[in-house]
Amino acid sequence: MKFLVAINSLLRTLAALVFVGLLVAVAYFGYTEYFARERAQQAMKAELDQTKETLARTASELEQRREQVSALTEQVADLRSEVAEKQKQIERLQTAVRLLKVDRRVAYLDCLELQPGDDGNPPRAKLRFVEIDPHGRPVGEPRLLEVAGDKVYVDALVVKFEDRLVEESDPLRAASLCLFQRIFGDRQSPAEGVPVDAEDQQPQVYRSGEAMTEFERELWGQFWDYARDEQKAKAAGIRAAHGQAVYLAMEPGTRYKITIRASDGLTLTREGPIPADVNGAL
């Protein structure tokens, strides 16, 4: 009997030990799992914080790059503006060099023949017009023309600059500029005259053989703007911008000289007999 009781007590003790062992195992695994999850969460939190820090740093660097790009864009715009201004200055200087070579415009008007009028018909003058360079060489081909009348007008657009600019030898404004408009006789209207220089275009004597610059197009294309706009003319140092016509009674076989000088207007003077050799220097 005592043996059975001892066996029973041993079994209960073993069962208790197994139960306790199970509790210890469950507690251990639970503890291990809890802290494993805690460590995992901490690791994830640390990784998330690092990612946020990296994103913040990247955003800061991106903003710096944007500011740098914006600054570079402004610098590029400033440089383009500066280059455009320098180019305009270069064009002005190139134009100035060409203008300095032509301190006046000179042309000859030869009266080749003067036909008297009859039966109500007006007299007619047969003329030859040729512009010359400072060396006396023709600029372009001589032009033959015929007008009605024995008194011949030469019409031009003239720009005169302020005296101080002429006295100071301003490279662009040291001499008056002109565009020859037309030649006509006293027995016809100006509109019926023979055109010479094309309006709004660079006269041939000022050409360099290269394409006109933007500045030159502005210079030669705004004569009437200067005449109409006093403020524009004043800003450009222009004291007068207007049309001007000079005329003389023609004599057959006679040469006439058309001139525009620095700080002066258009003049037409009798030069003398037409030279025998008109193919050489005029």
Side-chain angles (χ1 to χ4, degrees):
M1 187 69 179
K2 290 180 179 180
F3 177 76
L4 292 173
V5 170
I7 292 299
N8 187 36
S9 175
L10 179 60
L11 292 172
R12 285 198 297 272
T13 300
L14 290 173
L17 288 173
V18 171
F19 180 73
V20 171
L22 289 173
L23 287 177
V24 170
V26 170
Y28 173 78
F29 285 113
Y31 174 83
T32 302
E33 182 68 19
Y34 171 78
F35 280 99
R37 290 181 179 178
E38 182 70 17
R39 285 193 298 271
Q41 290 177 355
Q42 290 177 354
M44 291 178 63
K45 184 176 181 302
E47 185 177 356
L48 181 61
D49 291 341
Q50 184 177 5
T51 301
K52 288 181 178 179
E53 183 180 349
T54 302
L55 288 175
R57 186 168 57 253
T58 302
S60 177
E61 292 176 353
L62 181 59
E63 183 62 28
Q64 291 178 2
R65 295 293 186 273
R66 286 176 178 171
E67 292 176 357
Q68 291 174 357
V69 169
S70 178
L72 288 174
T73 301
E74 292 180 2
Q75 291 177 12
V76 169
D78 291 342
L79 287 173
R80 285 178 177 172
S81 177
E82 184 177 349
V83 168
E85 183 61 30
K86 294 295 183 184
Q87 182 62 35
K88 190 170 184 179
Q89 291 177 11
I90 290 172
E91 292 176 0
R92 288 174 63 87
L93 290 174
Q94 289 174 339
T95 304
V97 169
R98 286 196 286 273
L99 292 180
L100 285 173
K101 294 178 181 178
V102 187
D103 61 349
R104 61 178 182 171
R105 292 191 71 177
V106 178
Y108 288 132
L109 188 66
D110 295 335
C111 182
L112 303 176
E113 184 180 346
L114 184 61
Q115 298 175 348
D118 56 8
D119 298 329
N121 295 317
R124 300 192 68 84
K126 293 185 177 181
L127 309 167
R128 176 173 53 219
F129 174 88
V130 60
E131 190 167 2
I132 63 171
D133 64 16
H135 304 288
R137 295 187 296 256
V139 178
E141 292 295 325
R143 298 180 57 184
L144 299 177
L145 52 127
E146 186 174 331
V147 299
D150 56 4
K151 297 180 181 64
V152 174
Y153 287 76
V154 178
D155 182 24
L157 297 178
V158 180
V159 169
K160 301 176 183 179
F161 296 102
E162 295 177 3
D163 291 338
R164 63 176 179 84
L165 296 172
V166 177
E167 292 167 0
E168 294 170 1
S169 297
D170 182 281
L172 288 175
R173 295 167 289 191
S176 299
L177 302 176
C178 83
L179 287 171
F180 289 126
Q181 291 287 278
R182 61 185 67 85
I183 298 172
F184 59 94
D186 63 323
R187 302 296 294 273
Q188 62 185 147
S189 69
E192 296 173 328
V194 179
V196 183
D197 288 335
E199 195 167 326
D200 296 337
Q201 293 185 21
Q202 184 185 38
Q204 186 173 354
V205 70
Y206 295 111
R207 296 175 188 172
S208 65
E210 301 176 358
M212 272 199 303
T213 64
E214 184 65 29
F215 176 76
E216 287 175 304
R217 280 192 290 271
E218 178 182 340
L219 178 66
W220 299 114
Q222 296 187 359
F223 273 83
W224 286 119
D225 291 344
Y226 291 129
R228 297 187 189 100
D229 191 335
E230 183 179 354
Q231 294 301 319
K232 182 180 180 69
K234 185 176 181 181
I238 292 173
R239 64 182 175 87
H242 54 75
Q244 182 180 5
V246 292
Y247 71 98
L248 280 175
M250 295 287 105
E251 299 177 37
T254 304
R255 164 165 287 184
Y256 300 87
K257 187 175 184 179
I258 308 164
T259 310
I260 181 166
R261 295 178 180 271
S263 190
D264 193 11
L266 199 64
T267 60
L268 176 62
T269 56
R270 189 178 186 278
E271 186 77 0
I274 300 174
D277 181 13
V278 296
N279 295 320
L282 296 177

